[in-house]
Amino acid sequence: MTLLGQFALWAAFLLGLWCAVAGFSGRWRGRPDLTQSVTRAVYGICVALLVAAACLWKALLTHDFSVEYVWAYTSRNLPTYYVISAFWAGQKGSLLFWALVLSIFASAAQALSSRRHAALLPYVAAVTSSVVAFFVSVMLFAANPFERLAFTPLDGRGLNPQLQNVGMTIHPPMLYLGYISITIPFAFAIAALLSRRLDTGWIHAIRKWTIVSWMFLSVGITLGMWWAYVELGWGGYWAWDPVENASLLPWLTMTAFLHSVMIQEKRGMLKRWNLGLIVGTFMLSIFGTFITRSGVIASVHSFTQSNVGYFFLGFLILAGAFGFTLLQTRWHLLEPEAHLESMVSREAAFLFNNLLFVGIAFSVLWGTLFPILSELVRGTKITVGPPFFNRVNVPLGLMLLALTGVGPLIAWRRASASNLRRQFTLPLGTGAVVAAALLAAGMRDAYAVIAFALAGFVAGTVAQEFFRGVRARRRIHGEPLPRAFIRLVGRNRRRYGGYIVHVGILIYCVGFAGMAFKREREATLKPGESVELRSPYGHTYRFTHVGISQYQALNRIVSAATVQVERDGKPEGVMTSEKRQHFTVENGEKVPSFEPSTEVAIRSGLREDLYIVFAGPVNGTEEAVYRFTINPLVWWIWYGGLVLVFGGIITMWPGGGHPVPVTRQAPAAYGAALVGAGEPS
Amino acid sequence: MKAGTKFLIGAAVIVASVGFLITEGVKETGVYFLTPTELASKTAADPSFYDVGLKMGAKVVPGSIRRDSSSREIDFRVSDGQHTFPVIYRGLVPDTFTDANDIEVVVEGRLGRDGVFRATDVLAKCGSRYEAVPKTARA
């Protein structure tokens, strides 16, 4: 099987080269046979990589430990579910996963794109195939998943227990899907530049792709936060580690891009900026891989460090040079069709939104690279950590949150005083009420008060939009409330789906702000002893250590410590945190594999999470060391993620995206309201 | 004034504030990241380097870890092969922090004039057998 897999990789590589050469050369113009050959090469690569993937999965599932990759990441007692997900658990497998998914996306882009974009597609094929060929070449020349060991070990080394978590099996592929799908918009941008078809055609072609990749990135990042929170036991979900930052960077520029393309569609502005943004986003996605794989920046995410990183650095430089040179040669074709008319307009709000996103991305990049930069310039390594990122990004993030409310409601071109009054009186009132209530309740953390007040403001803008839309439909069509609501959203999916995404984002922000009120206490307790912790809402929690029990499960020995919880003197049940020691069986004896890992006890709620870490027993007695944490509002982050996905799905739902003039869908009064804030959907 | 000019002023304000936040942030929160040898030569050359917040990346000397579970205090030695510093830390250490073999740690804290490094944060990086294993302990 490994031989077949190896052969399939070579086939994919050669097909990729052919597709790139034929596609980029432009010789296919006026030659249907060549054009067809380019397209078919894309499908051919996909088939070859499916074969390669099937070979690797077969090796994993049949426990063929003569394959180095299978030996390194699985063992006989590993649950099947994790054997399957071990495909992307390690570097070599994840490269294959990446190439495979990209080739599937590339085929979908060829098959699903409208014939209107036929003149772009062979160039798109050339770009996507070059990227696939690059990934395959890394496998062939540096990190081959089909590499064999000289002998066949009896058992594998097993999967790290911290990766044996459902979140961890979904989080990396989601992030990969996000990173990978950025290639498609990038490919269309390059195709538009090469073919000099620089109207909004390429933007229409990638509209859904950009939302898809943005969604995957968002979900991947959120799942990573969730995994860090439930699995790592330090009580937080985001540490501003270089690898985390690497996933945030393309998300930031992609979000900027999602907004700025609307300006180009509507007003013909920002053409150069948009092309630059998408090339930059693609580079950041490769940069993320480079950081993760090369170990140039010290990170606690220690992927196997290898020269594979430098393949990516080379590719990054090449792709950037190519993209920006191309952009520069087409610069004169990208004159804006309109200019900014007023600072108080939707265009201006979106421009500032873009500046802030790029500013945040720049500061995150700067902070991440700072150890390297300071060593180059000053000879000493200086690092910046979470305090730096919070200091810089919290104020910028709050400005963005404010624009989340302003952007969708302010008029295009030039907002009049009456437009401003009509749109913002109620939301501003909501925000002010929230701020006053929190201050009256005794909240003194300035950033938190501002964050909650802005969340109230944004929620006010969205609620007002839904209310006005529904009211107009009911008045004009006489529809009952639920139908009016569903039709309103269904007929303007991009717009109202976008609002729901904004609601998701503001729910995230509420969750982030809640962390300002985290309470924590460590204690060593004998059975029967207890500690108290006061929650930010003024309740007193009492945690009583009950005892430690030991038992054995499939591939691990578990020590479980149980705590009884009381709130204000009333019992609230028990919580159990575990210490697990995984083992492998060698010659009938259990040999510990990996270091012990902790299972955190978490009780989630709308207001706060109780988060208990059992750090271990004292010298084998029943005395236990604990960390007790109260994390306010964390729950909101995960549910913000669900709302965001829901909104994203609405915007992408087929059929809603065709550009029908709004006035045809609804009579004048309603149409005017839409034009005031209109999306061309 | 034209809208374009006004926008440029607004943009300049944003760019300047981003730049200001970054430079201030680095100045206020940046800490040296040193190896034991670099730390030893810095303190030898300039005694004011004692009691300055910094990070030190090194390996734990095998067998040097002593835990006092009931007080949650832990002391160990770190080394880069040339210089060795004793470290004291109070708090929970990550699971990956073990005596086993050459684990890399990053300790954040201050070197006292008595030559003892008092850590406020210990991060352990695991050896070659793992991938993607972040671990943090906070004081």
Side-chain angles (χ1 to χ4, degrees), chain A residues 81-82 85 88 159-174 223-224 226-227 230-231 580 599:
Chain A
Y81 177 73
Y82 295 114
S85 70
W88 54 74
L159 188 69
N160 187 326
Q162 283 172 334
L163 303 182
Q164 297 186 25
N165 163 292
V166 182
M168 202 50 195
T169 55
I170 316 172
H171 151 68
M174 281 291 162
L223 281 172
W226 180 72
W227 172 75
V230 302
E231 197 70 12
R580 295 176 173 181
E599 282 295 298

Side-chain angles (χ1 to χ4, degrees), chain A residues 488-615:
Chain A
L488 176 77
V489 177
R491 301 259 160 106
N492 304 276
R493 286 172 201 168
R494 240 182 126 194
R495 179 173 173 197
Y496 288 94
Y499 287 153
I500 294 171
V501 172
H502 280 181
V503 170
I505 294 291
L506 78 89
I507 296 176
Y508 273 86
C509 292
V510 168
F512 296 152
M515 268 313 212
F517 306 100
K518 176 177 176 164
R519 300 278 187 276
E520 195 167 79
R521 188 166 174 184
E522 288 170 9
T524 308
L525 302 174
K526 292 197 176 78
E529 287 184 336
S530 58
V531 285
E532 288 187 349
L533 192 58
R534 225 174 136 68
S535 88
Y537 301 100
H539 297 291
T540 304
Y541 282 96
R542 172 183 279 274
F543 301 101
T544 311
H545 174 46
V546 179
I548 301 173
S549 61
Q550 276 203 343
Y551 60 92
Q552 190 182 318
L554 177 63
N555 55 0
R556 56 190 181 263
I557 298 166
V558 180
S559 305
T562 305
V563 173
Q564 188 171 359
V565 184
E566 284 167 75
R567 196 178 86 169
D568 296 333
K570 272 184 259 140
E572 294 240 309
V574 294
M575 292 173 69
T576 302
S577 168
E578 297 174 357
K579 205 84 185 168
R580 295 176 173 181
Q581 178 62 61
H582 285 247
F583 60 79
T584 50
V585 180
E586 282 172 26
N587 306 326
E589 281 187 39
K590 288 173 197 138
V591 182
S593 60
F594 303 102
E595 286 123 15
S597 63
T598 308
E599 282 295 298
V600 187
I602 303 175
R603 179 174 297 173
S604 283
L606 192 59
R607 291 149 61 93
E608 64 204 358
D609 278 15
L610 301 182
Y611 188 99
I612 301 178
V613 174
F614 168 47

Side-chain angles (χ1 to χ4, degrees), chain A residues 242-259:
Chain A
V243 171
E244 294 168 1
N245 295 348
S247 69
L248 185 62
L249 288 168
W251 184 88
L252 289 166
T253 51
M254 197 61 168
T255 315
F257 180 76
L258 277 180
H259 290 93

Side-chain angles (χ1 to χ4, degrees), chain B residues 29-43:
Chain B
T29 69
V31 290
Y32 283 103
F33 187 98
L34 304 171
T35 62
T37 305
E38 285 169 338
L39 181 57
S41 62
K42 288 250 185 216
T43 45

Side-chain angles (χ1 to χ4, degrees), chain B residues 119-131:
Chain B
T120 55
D121 201 353
V122 173
L123 282 98
K125 192 164 162 174
C126 354
S128 57
R129 275 198 67 183
Y130 312 93
E131 289 201 0

Side-chain angles (χ1 to χ4, degrees), chain A residues 261-342:
Chain A
V261 287
M262 292 186 208
I263 304 287
Q264 182 170 351
E265 282 181 58
K266 192 81 182 169
R267 305 273 289 133
M269 297 157 67
L270 296 180
K271 293 176 182 174
R272 295 161 181 162
W273 174 260
N274 285 336
L275 285 161
L277 261 186
I278 200 67
V279 174
T281 305
F282 178 73
M283 287 177 69
L284 286 174
S285 76
I286 300 292
F287 173 76
T289 319
F290 164 60
I291 288 215
T292 346
R293 302 298 158 93
S294 65
V296 282
I297 297 171
S299 158
V300 280
H301 289 69
S302 48
F303 277 85
T304 319
Q305 292 171 11
S306 63
N307 55 2
V308 162
Y310 293 94
F311 278 77
F312 282 92
L313 183 62
F315 185 66
L316 173 69
I317 294 168
L318 208 69
F322 176 67
F324 284 112
T325 314
L326 198 58
L327 178 58
Q328 196 257 324
T329 58
R330 306 292 193 262
W331 196 255
H332 58 284
L333 299 171
L334 293 159
E335 283 295 327
E337 291 154 34
H339 289 281
L340 191 66
E341 290 176 32
S342 164

Side-chain angles (χ1 to χ4, degrees), chain A residues 43 323 438 484:
Chain A
Y43 301 139
L438 292 174

